[in-house]
Amino acid sequence: MKTLIAANWKMHGQLAWTEKPAQFRALFPANANANSNDRVDILICPPAHMLQIMVAACAGLDISIGAQNCHDQTSGAYTGEMSAQMVAETGANHVILGHSERRAMFGDRDEVVAAKTSATLKAGLVPIVCVGENRGEREAGQAEEVVGAQLAASIPQHADGVSLVIAYEPVWAIGSGLVPTLEDIAIMHDHIRGCLITRFGAPVADNIQILYGGSLKPGNAKEILALKDVGGGLIGGAGLEMDSLAAIAMAAP
Ligand code: 13P
């Protein structure tokens, strides 16, 4: 399985940033050498106003574009929202769903995430379903239970697991500079793999990429990305600058 290196730009970005994909490729050439795109897929998830121009900016660069959210309905009176079909029309092919910032600030509970994931699949896009415990849940020893429950309720019943990416992002590690120990990341990713095997069966579940996110940086990427069930990274702060994003891509096994 290829490693997926995904940058979540959150609410950062301006039209001048359409230069970034080419800058990235200058630092991390596709199909060039041992550190090539043969082993690494690159995804950038910019704010919604940039989706279409970023798709155009990535033409020929083998970089995919994803959205950070979508609505679960196809169309209608939902001021300020964008449907999965609309995301698909931009040429983007992934949607991040259930990010902890959306769960905490915009009411994206598990059922909402499941409905949005369902709409994303129906639109032919790949959902990246985010899960992760907060600090209190980690300290209370409930991290695995919380993540297992989020997974069960955030993936819609009809999903077959064939087109699905999971991102494990411990809430307390996001933007904080704090990172779980390698052992804790390995235990959680193994747990997530187990949940996916129970749900979808081994052959399908084994092919689901499970990304790690939360203060992933060039300095810690090599050891984290080398862990057995870590299939890539979902990167916030370090994904805004192409030198650090390229350094993380370079660190992929
Ligand atoms: P940081 O890499 O800035 O901690 O953010 C992680 C994240 O939330 C990616 O979705």
Side-chain angles (χ1 to χ4, degrees):
M1 211 190 330
K2 279 178 151 188
T3 301
L4 176 60
I5 298 296
N8 173 10
W9 280 1
K10 307 190 179 184
M11 201 169 75
H12 301 285
Q14 45 196 291
L15 299 190
W17 288 25
T18 49
E19 291 174 1
K20 289 192 183 244
Q23 284 170 5
F24 176 86
R25 272 293 171 234
L27 295 164
F28 186 74
N31 306 313
N33 52 43
N35 285 328
S36 81
N37 209 41
D38 294 349
R39 297 174 299 108
V40 183
D41 283 325
I42 305 295
L43 172 71
I44 296 177
C45 301
H49 77 298
M50 296 179 71
L51 286 171
Q52 206 175 350
I53 53 163
M54 285 294 290
V55 168
C58 289
L61 295 176
D62 205 5
I63 295 175
S64 296
I65 295 298
Q68 300 172 15
N69 179 38
C70 70
H71 197 271
D72 63 305
Q73 297 298 306
T74 310
S75 63
Y78 303 101
T79 301
E81 291 291 311
M82 190 168 182
S83 71
Q85 281 77 6
M86 291 168 183
V87 173
E89 278 209 323
T90 70
N93 48 26
H94 288 67
V95 186
I96 298 172
L97 295 164
H99 189 280
S100 68
E101 287 150 18
R102 294 219 49 97
R103 288 178 183 267
M105 293 185 262
F106 304 102
D108 286 12
R109 304 179 309 280
D110 289 335
E111 314 85 85
V112 175
V113 178
K116 291 180 174 191
T117 302
S118 185
T120 297
L121 289 167
K122 217 192 263 172
L125 305 173
V126 181
I128 301 177
V129 176
C130 302
V131 293
E133 82 286 355
N134 63 33
R135 185 191 298 271
E137 291 160 344
R138 162 72 51 185
E139 284 170 2
Q142 297 167 340
E144 288 176 50
E145 188 189 324
V146 165
V147 166
Q150 284 177 338
L151 271 180
S154 299
I155 301 171
Q157 286 311 315
H158 64 80
D160 60 8
V162 171
S163 174
L164 179 65
V165 175
I166 303 297
Y168 168 57
E169 298 203 304
V171 179
W172 52 274
I174 294 175
S176 64
L178 302 172
V179 180
T181 63
L182 291 176
E183 191 189 358
D184 283 342
I185 296 174
I187 289 170
M188 185 59 84
H189 279 244
D190 178 68
H191 173 63
I192 293 172
R193 182 75 67 203
C195 294
L196 295 171
I197 289 172
T198 305
R199 177 92 181 248
F200 299 116
V204 170
D206 287 344
N207 284 314
I208 297 176
Q209 282 161 315
I210 307 172
L211 312 182
Y212 169 78
S215 298
L216 194 61
K217 302 265 182 310
N220 59 22
K222 197 175 169 75
E223 48 192 13
I224 292 175
L225 294 174
L227 294 171
K228 181 172 153 283
D229 282 303
V230 175
L234 184 55
I235 301 139
L240 297 173
E241 297 303 333
M242 294 304 100
D243 52 355
S244 49
L245 188 63
I248 291 172
M250 220 87 80

